[in-house]
Structure formats: C-alpha cells, structure tokens
Amino acid sequence: MILKLLLISLFLFPIAILISQSNTKINKIAITNFKVDSVIKKEEANQINKLIEKKIINLNLYSLATTKSVNNAYKEKASEIRGCMATECALKIGKYLNVDKVIDGTITKQNDEYIVKVYIIDVDRKRIEFSDTVVLKSIRESDENFELFAKNLQAHTMGLPWKREKSRLPFIWRSSLFSGWGQWYEGNQKKGFLFMGTGGVLLVNFIYSYNQYESTGKAYESTPTIPYTLNENALLINYLLLKPKKNALIKSENYFRNSTYLLMGFWIWNIIDVSFFEYTGNEVSMKIDLVPGFNSKLHASSYSFNFSFLKFF
C-alpha cells in the first residue's frame, strides 16, 4: 500500500509542477535603455542588452516588448523624460508601453571588468522588486555569466529562494579598513570619495586631539610644585600653578573623547552604509532579506524589506 502511494505521488508531482507553472501570470515586460559609461562602446552595450533579452526570452515567463516599440516610446516621450532620474524614466516608458514591469540598469567598467547592474521595477507599485549584479571579464564570454542572473530571476518569478551572484563581503571588509573604500570599489566613486575625505578629516582630527591630550597631560605632570615644608603658602601657590594646566588637560581630554566618539560613529555608519545600501548606478537600494525569496503571488515576503533611495551624491 505504501509503495503504491509513493509511486502515485512520484507520478503526480511533475504534473502538479506543470499545472502551477501554467497558472503563473505571464507579465508584460520591457527592457529600457541602460545607463552606460562613456568608456564603453555602443556595440558592447548592445551586445550586453541582447544577452539580457535572450535570457528573458529563454525563461518563457514574460511577454517581452520589442526593441522597436521601446525605441519608439523613447522618441514619443523624449520631452517628458528629459532630465528625469533613471527609475522615473523607466516608469514613464513602462506606462507608455502598458507593461507590468520594466528592466533597467547600468553598465560600468572598472579594472577591465564590465559591471552590469540589473533591476526589475514594478510599474504599478513604482518600486524595485528584484536586482542583481553581473561581472563580465570579457564581452565574448559573457553568456555563461548571465546564466546565474537568469536562474535568480526565474527563482524570483517562481517564488523560490535565490542567491545573489556576489556577496557584499568584499565591500564590507574594505570599508572596515578605510571608510569609503568599499563604496568606491562597488562603483560609486563620488560617494566613496566623500566617505574617504570625511573619514580622513576625522582621523586627522582624532590624531591631533590625542597628541594634544598627551602633551597637556605631560605638561600637567611636569609642573614644578613647592613642598609644604618650605612655604606655609605652598597650597595656594601650587593651586595657582596647577589650575591653568589642569583646565587645559580637562579641555583636551573632552576634545579627545568627542573626536573619538565622532570617528567611531562615522566609521560604524560607513560600514552600515556599505553593508545594506547597494549601489545601482542612479539609485541606492536597501534590501534586508530575513527570508530570501518571494511568495507564489510574486509579492514581497512579509519577512523581507525593500527600500529605494535617490542618489544625491
């Protein structure tokens, strides 16, 4: 009896998967024009876009808008999207094409590597629901690099847990050693330089305050005093001699303590920033996954939090 039930379950399981897949909503999706670094050739960017389009088509989970219709949308909406932020532009294109989602992103080049940041935006909810990063060492051998991206996207669409191609550990340990290094290494040079400059100023201020504290401490300890046996007014004389030295020591001690707290607070914020705020080119996305993945209705899990912040620097 148990053997029969096992055989029936093994026979029905694939059928149940096929039924669940057939009931999955086919979303209309469009690939927008990615923001591309000036050092990257137009042919290279087009090749990367074609690879993303190929992976989307092979997934057979989306109804993809044609490249011609997307280009026409940019022409029709040229006056509206002039000067807008990347996500805002993508949403306008998505609404014009009447699609459910848009694929937007950036293509940058760093250390002879192409860094492709891809994120899917829900047009109705106006939020990023999926993002991933693909690092390419060569354009010609990039098909395999996008395979993990396709698997992550498929897992997201099917409501299964998925893993990012790259953890944030390389950025975290760099910013832990020197503030801003991780942000710069991720591709956000402006923010990286801002953190580096601020951290450098606070570090110099900390060293200066420490030297001041050391010097005032030595000056206080080396101040000559009069023994009480030599002068009956020794107590008053010593008080007048030590008071300015002691006040200077207290002042330098407070300065040193405050500079230490300020440096530590900034350094901790620098690590928090690089740990949770992912740089996507024109936005900074904050994603904390307590339980990675999405439910069968393609809504974010109640245990996941997804925020987007405009990039001001």
Side-chain angles (χ1 to χ4, degrees), residues 195-208:
F195 271 83
M196 287 179 184
T198 306
V201 170
L202 292 178
L203 183 60
V204 170
N205 179 65
F206 167 78
I207 296 172
Y208 173 77

Side-chain angles (χ1 to χ4, degrees), residues 212 216 242-253:
Q212 285 289 101
T216 53
L242 293 175
K243 184 178 180 180
K245 303 290 184 179
K246 185 176 182 180
N247 290 340
L249 178 59
I250 294 173
K251 185 178 180 180
S252 63
E253 184 181 8

Side-chain angles (χ1 to χ4, degrees), residues 88-124:
E88 183 183 355
C89 295
L91 286 172
K92 288 182 178 181
I93 297 299
K95 288 182 179 179
Y96 179 83
L97 294 172
N98 194 27
V99 295
D100 302 304
K101 305 174 189 298
V102 288
I103 299 178
D104 201 15
T106 61
I107 305 175
T108 58
K109 195 171 183 180
Q110 184 177 338
N111 300 328
D112 296 328
E113 290 183 340
Y114 299 87
I115 302 174
V116 185
K117 296 183 180 294
V118 186
Y119 43 101
I120 296 181
I121 307 168
D122 190 298
V123 176
D124 292 332

Side-chain angles (χ1 to χ4, degrees), residues 118-159:
V118 186
Y119 43 101
I120 296 181
I121 307 168
D122 190 298
V123 176
D124 292 332
R125 295 184 178 182
K126 299 180 180 180
R127 72 174 182 87
I128 298 174
E129 68 170 35
F130 173 89
S131 63
D132 208 358
T133 303
V134 182
V135 179
L136 310 175
K137 293 184 177 180
S138 172
I139 298 292
R140 296 178 181 178
E141 302 175 358
S142 57
D143 187 72
E144 295 181 359
N145 297 78
F146 275 98
E147 192 61 36
L148 181 59
F149 157 75
K151 290 179 181 179
N152 288 341
L153 181 57
Q154 183 181 31
H156 160 67
T157 308
M158 301 293 293

Side-chain angles (χ1 to χ4, degrees), residues 171 173-175 177-186 192 196:
F171 313 124
W173 73 259
R174 283 176 169 82
S175 284
L177 290 179
F178 194 82
S179 64
W181 187 14
Q183 289 87 342
W184 178 87
Y185 184 78
E186 191 178 9
M196 287 179 184

Side-chain angles (χ1 to χ4, degrees), residues 53-68:
E53 182 178 337
K54 176 185 174 182
K55 295 299 180 183
I56 297 297
I57 294 173
N58 290 342
L59 286 177
N60 200 28
L61 295 172
Y62 296 95
S63 175
L64 183 64
T66 62
T67 305
K68 183 179 179 180

